[in-house]
Structures are given as structure tokens and as C-alpha cells.
Amino acid sequence: MSNKNFKKITSSHWGAFEAVIENGKLVSTNPFKHDLNPNNISKLIPKAVYHKSRIKRPSIRKGWLQDPLGRSRHLRGNDDFYEVPWDEAIEIASNEIKRIKDKYGNKSIYGGSYGWSSAGKFHHAQTQLQRFLNSIGGYVGAFGSYSTAAAQVIIPHILGMNFLQLIFNFQNTWPTIEENTKNILMFGGINPNNSKVSMGGSTRHENDSWFKKFTNKKINLINISPQKSDAPSGSSWLPIIPGTDTAFMLGLAYELESKSLVDRDFLKKYTVGYEKFKLYLIGQKDDQPKNAEWAENICGVSAETIRSIATKISQERTLITVSWSLQRAQNGEQPYWMATTLAAMLGQIGLPGGGIGFGYGAIGGVGNPIKNFGGLSFPKGKNPITDYIPVARIAEMLNSPGSSYEFNGEKRIYPDIKLIYWCGGNPFHHHQDLNRFHKAWQKPDTIIVNEPWWTSTAKRADIVFPATTSYEREDIGKANGGDNYIFHMPKLIEPVGESKNDYTIFSELSQKLGYHKEFTEGKKDIEWIEQLYNEFQIFIKNSGIDCPSLDELKDKSWITLPVAGKEFASKPFQEFRSNPEEKPLQTPSGKIEIFSETIDSFSYSECPGHPIWIEPDEWLGSKLTKKFPYHLVSPQPIDKLHSQLECAISDIPNERPTPVMINTEDAKELNIKNGEVIRIQNSRGSCLARALLSNEIKNGVLSLPTGAWFDTDEEGVEQQGNPNALTFDKGTSRLGQGPSAHTTLVNIVKEK
């Protein structure tokens, strides 16, 4: 833009906002006028964009450059970098990629990324990286996400559908709930803060408004979580011992079964395997009935309360919801399976406002009555390499190449990775047991990173390319689901330093490697944006919906598609309920699988053919509590998204190390004062945190949000308050192999 002073609307993961540009510089932001509950995160953007931690020029790690044979891998994270011209950096990187390809093959390249990198549809770092690697012969990829890995495996087995499609397209929407639901049983809560962000954007932030309506209508909101703040105000709170939700659900199920409150006609017509599960439930298999007293001894919620809830939910329309956080724990498949079983026992699946729901409040848009459309995606191409790993098993892959592991019924072999290319995301934020991960990270020959800031991942790379932020390039903003806004995202400012966008970086690399045509198809970035939007416009118009041209979108800054409203409310499982023979589920039986013959055939002791309570390695009922008496949960931060914009927060006085919520009585017993810096530790590591005393967390539980940039001192103590210095890095089970971050016991030490 030629005018150096202007205001312009643009989009981000945490919502649309107005950017204020003065003399060519981004100086401030204002809320988007149509946002019902604007997110304050955008206020951090100007500070972050010009932060001292921005990577200004291409940089090569000193030890890697000087020692081409040994690569001095052990110095990653503790080495200096040389700044070099772009042409030299591209030459060095392309030569190294070619060396790895020629010597070891593309199966030795791991394409690491995480999709939150940009709200723009074209400059989406994960897609850019995958297209580049596909164009040069492929790469080893990953299945699932750290957010939903276990759910992505278990849901297709029991409900026969893709989990991510289910959450946006096949769940009760807010208007349906308001009209029909009497009880919302929220396992893990429905977090009001997490719902303010979403992949690609969440514009109007409507959840708070809907829950006010629910409260006014006297819908019974029950928050079953160790933290009161995990659910909106107006919810009743049942503090539960972390990791024991399945036991609580089994206690409810036993009460339903023993009091003949089960809808047996529904179970017979729409499910398979209940009778096998029932043998476990009533204790015929193990001489232990899963009654309310049994559940109380495990989960800490009274038997009387469990019995009362069981009676109430059997008499009124009830929606059982399960947060994403519950499956990010050892045996994380079980609460999802058991919640579905419990909903089936009530017989309300397929009834408006009843049944089962997943991930309300996990991200914005879930629950909004919107007809979701795909499109506007930069094509990735086809990956010639078929090998992949479960996303959270990267440390095992790097530590044990060639070793076998089990995943979802398959016996697989970890590949031998020689080169990691990471673009978009910060694995030293979202992976568990970061001290172990740091050691595993030393194994590959070379690590290349595209990144705007000197994050903990960039500091542990060998070749670092400075990438633009989404405010330094043009794009189109469209949420992945639950939002009907489309934004033109203008280039607001010139790139900081010598940074380039990922498409340009990969174009230059592909040129050197001889794959330029395959990657670019002869198009510049703006030409791709025009093509993608024009294809989307045609698709939308063919659906009978008017869609303006790209020039019109640029002129207006944003548009809404007429696909939102009560008439677009989804009707989950209603067709299946009306006619299960003609509209079966895509499971082997065509029905809801309370007992899965497929899973049972895998012979996993920790994940048999029906849902069970199985004691995790670390929880408050463990013998380990003698040494580590507190359970650590690590929720998403409220002041940013994951670790994005962390540099802008870390400069604020008293914001780092990260505040850790601790029960007031626990703090009194330890003589810890509010605001005091403490050290949290276990056998995996230790980190500093700032005590935040509260009565809104269960005793014996600590809550330390994720997102701090991993930073250890000479003694290995993490300084910023990153909980993944402590978390448990083991797969949820052999079935899902997801992350088990919430299975973590710790101790507290007062700092001197």
C-alpha cells in the first residue's frame, strides 16, 4: 500500500481486528466492531512484530558450518549463529537437502509442522512445507495432532466418522441446545477462554452469549473438572481428581443399570456389545462392581452426588460433553469411549439437544449453527513416501530408529531420520518431557527451520530462514469451521529485516534443487491467491450462494456468507436414529460400537474391546505421591495462543515465570505466598513458576499453562515456566499413541 497511514481490518487465529498503521509501521490494534466479545490477544501484535527476538537475516549455526562431518549436534540450543546472505543460505540448505536425498532417500526427511502457523489460507506454513517436500520426492509425515490424537483414532472405531469433521458438522449446535437440553454434563468443562481461538480464525466469539442464555433458561450446567474456570460462570462445579473421569462415568453407568434406568430398546437397535460391557460394569469379570462407592474412592466425587446425577440425567434431555484435554492423558481413549457408552445407555443419541458432544469450548466455532464449506486451500500434492509416525512420538522416532512399535492395530517401524525441516509451530512448546526431547533432537544430521522469531526451536536448528508474519504479506482469511466470515488480509507493513514468506523461501530452494516447476507451477504467490479465491467463488456460486469477486472482497475487507443461522443447525445422528438400516454408521457393525471386535482383536491389555477404568502410571491415587504429591495439569494459556506472541509477554514485569495456580490450603501448608517464585520438579525435570493462590482449583492439583519458550539455566532448571519440562512423554495407549501431558505428578520446592 502506498499510503503509510491507514487503518485496515485483518484476521488472525484469535479473531479479526483493526490494524493501525502510521508511517508504514504497525503501531496498535482495535477490536473488530462485529465481535461480540473481542479477544485482547491482538494488542500484543505490534510489540511482537518488532520484537528484538525477530530473526533478521538467514543464519547458520556456527558448529554445524565448521564441522560438516560431526555437525557438533550436541551444541544445538547452545551455539552461536553466523548471519549469511540469502543466496548463500539457499545454496547451503539446498546442497544439504540434496545430500540427504541422494545418500539416504526421502524417507530420511521428517516434515515437521503444526497448522496454527498462519490464519491465511495460502501462506499456511504446514501446507507450504508439505507441498515443497512432496515436490522434491516426499517425506515422513505425522498422523493426528497434539490436540486430538487419541480422539482421532478412537472415534472412527466407535462412531465411524472422522473426528475433526464430527466436531464442526455433526454435533448439537447452540440453538438446538438452548431449545431442548435440560442438563449439560461437562467432563473437563467447556472452557470460555479456549473458545476464543480457532484454526484460521474465530470472528464473533459467541460462546459467552450462548451460556448466558443457557443460564437464564436454567439449563443445569455441571462442570466436572479440577478447575472451576474450565467452565462458564453459572455452572456448578464438581472438583474431580485429574485422570479419573472414566471411573466417574462408570459409577453413573452402574447406577443407571442397577436401577433399570437404561434405554434397552435403544441399546438393542443402535449399538453392539453392551452385554459384554455390562459384565465388566457389574463386576462379573473382576468381582468389582463399578458402583458409586467404587467410583468415589477413585475420582473423589461423593457416591451420593453420583447417584443423584445418574437419576437426573435419565429423566431429562441430557448432553454429555467431553473436552479435548481428557484424551491428552494416559488411556485418553477411554473417557471418549465411556462417554459415548453412557450417552447410549440414556438412549438420547440422535435426539435434539441430547447425546454426546466433543470439544465444545476447545476452539471457537464448535456449536455455531453454520453450514461449513471447504476450499481455499493451497494444494499439497501427493506424498510418494507412505511412512509416517503418530504425531507425538517424535522423540521415540529420533531415539530409536529401526525399532518397532504398535499403533491402531499395526506393527510399525520407526524411520531413521537424517534431516528435519520445521516450518510453522514450536515443538519445544507442545511436545512433552522437553529435556528428553532436547537430547533426541541432537540425533539428525541437519535441522532447518523457517521462523519469524528466535524461539526455542529456532535456537536448536542448524539453518534458520527468517520468515514473515501474516502482517507482512497478502492472504485470504477463512476459518476451518464454525465461522462464516471471509477476510482479505492485506500486506500491512514491509517485511521486518530480510524476512521472506515461506512460499518465496521454498520457491528459491526448489529452483536450486531442480523442482521449481513442480512446486510453483510457474505462479507467483499473488497469482496463487487469485486462483484459489476464484476457484472458491465458483464453488460457492455453484452451491447457490452469492460470493463477491476478489476485488470486491479487497474493497470491503471482509464479507459474510449467508450460511449461518438456526436453519443451518446440524442434526447429529438423527438420520441414523430414524433409519439405522438405510443410514448406518461407518463402523463394521453399522452401529455404535460399545464393544469393538476390531479393537479387541488388537489384544492391547490397556485398551480392550470395551471402555474400562485403568489406573495411569501417575495420578493422585498412585504410590508415587509419596515423592511427588501434586498432579500437574497444563491447560492452554489465556493470554495468547500456544506459544505465539510469547516474546511480547515475557518482557512484561512479573509475567514470567508463568503463574501456576495452586489451592490456597495447599499453599498455606507449604508457606507459599501469592506471587512467590517456586520450583516445580519431578524425575524428568524442573521449572520455575509464580504462585497464584486460588480456591478455584482442587487441592493437590497445580495448573501451569503452556506457552512459555523453553529456556534452561546451567543446572537444567527451566526458567520461564514451561510445564513440558515436567510432563509425561508416553503414548496414550498402543491404540492411539497420543500425548499424555495431563498424566504428570510433581513436587514443589520453595526457591531461596
Side-chain angles (χ1 to χ4, degrees), residues 506-520:
F506 290 133
S507 296
E508 293 180 6
L509 285 172
S510 64
Q511 180 76 52
K512 281 288 183 181
L513 289 165
Y515 296 93
H516 191 256
K517 184 177 180 181
E518 288 83 351
F519 177 71
T520 67

Side-chain angles (χ1 to χ4, degrees), residues 455-523:
T455 65
S456 44
T457 300
K459 289 178 179 178
R460 287 167 172 79
D462 302 310
I463 302 171
V464 182
F465 291 119
T468 55
T469 66
S470 56
Y471 318 110
E472 301 156 51
R473 60 201 184 210
E474 184 178 355
D475 213 331
I476 304 295
K478 174 183 174 292
N480 287 9
D483 194 286
N484 66 326
Y485 282 75
I486 298 178
F487 291 87
H488 176 243
M489 299 172 64
K491 179 181 176 181
L492 298 170
I493 58 173
E494 291 302 314
V496 172
E498 296 181 14
S499 57
K500 298 183 180 183
N501 65 57
D502 295 317
Y503 183 75
T504 300
I505 296 170
F506 290 133
S507 296
E508 293 180 6
L509 285 172
S510 64
Q511 180 76 52
K512 281 288 183 181
L513 289 165
Y515 296 93
H516 191 256
K517 184 177 180 181
E518 288 83 351
F519 177 71
T520 67
E521 297 184 20
K523 299 183 184 72

Side-chain angles (χ1 to χ4, degrees), residues 272-274 276-277 285 337 593-597 600 609-610:
V272 294
Y274 178 73
K276 291 183 179 180
F277 165 74
K285 279 189 173 182
W337 201 350
E593 302 224 339
I594 294 173
F595 184 92
S596 168
E597 297 283 357
D600 191 58
H610 59 73

Side-chain angles (χ1 to χ4, degrees), residues 12-16 32 34-40 42 174 192-198 201-210 364-365 368 482-483 485:
S12 72
H13 292 307
W14 40 86
F32 180 50
H34 294 283
D35 195 340
L36 300 179
N37 187 16
N39 202 321
N40 289 326
S42 298
W174 300 132
N193 293 305
N194 293 353
S195 64
K196 292 182 180 179
V197 299
S198 189
S202 179
T203 307
R204 284 171 55 83
H205 298 124
E206 300 183 47
N207 283 26
D208 286 0
S209 300
W210 281 110
N368 288 346
D483 194 286
Y485 282 75

